Amino acid sequence: MLAIGRALMAHPRLLLLDEPSLGLAPLMVQRIAEVVREINAQGTGVLLVEQNAGMALSLADRAYVLDVGEIRLSGPAAELARTDAVRRLYLGEAADGTADGATDGTAGRITGGATDGQGAA
């Protein structure tokens, strides 16, 4: 939170966040997500790099799934969250929506852009 606050002191148009939920307790992850959502709502664009796919996809307007440094999937975050591949590999769900236990998140990384309200990430 301190690093985010320091970054905001410069009044940036775009804020880059790399793994803001890494190593945090679930309640703090939720709080970070709320803060990121509020920052974006106040007009600052956010570029989020995150392995917590559920959090990233819930915050992003547009998302990119990277695997070994290459973009494997891209599109609107809500649309990607509904794809079988993302649900199975990153959200721990089977194709039928049930939990399948594959939730370690190590297969790739979700990069999302919460837009600045003008379509630019």
Side-chain angles (χ1 to χ4, degrees), residues 71-94:
I71 296 173
R72 299 295 183 196
L73 298 168
S74 67
E79 187 178 301
L80 283 180
R82 290 189 301 266
T83 66
D84 288 341
V86 170
R87 288 175 41 219
R88 183 175 43 80
L89 294 171
Y90 303 103
L91 300 178
E93 297 178 8

Side-chain angles (χ1 to χ4, degrees), residues 14 25 32 35 51 54 67 69 99-100 102 109 115:
L14 178 67
I32 291 288
V35 168
Q51 286 193 28
D67 184 28
D100 74 358
R109 176 180 293 235
T115 66

Side-chain angles (χ1 to χ4, degrees), residues 9-73:
M9 289 176 62
H11 304 286
R13 293 186 324 157
L14 178 67
L15 179 65
L16 171 60
L17 296 173
D18 185 16
E19 304 283 352
S21 73
L22 184 65
L24 298 179
L27 287 176
M28 285 306 300
V29 171
Q30 183 179 10
R31 181 68 182 123
I32 291 288
E34 292 167 2
V35 168
V36 170
R37 191 172 285 114
E38 181 61 28
I39 290 168
N40 184 243
Q42 291 181 10
T44 301
V46 177
L47 178 63
L48 174 67
V49 177
E50 181 63 65
Q51 286 193 28
N52 181 334
M55 181 183 114
L57 291 170
S58 73
L59 292 173
D61 294 323
R62 182 156 186 83
Y64 301 85
V65 178
L66 303 178
D67 184 28
V68 193
E70 292 187 29
I71 296 173
R72 299 295 183 196
L73 298 168

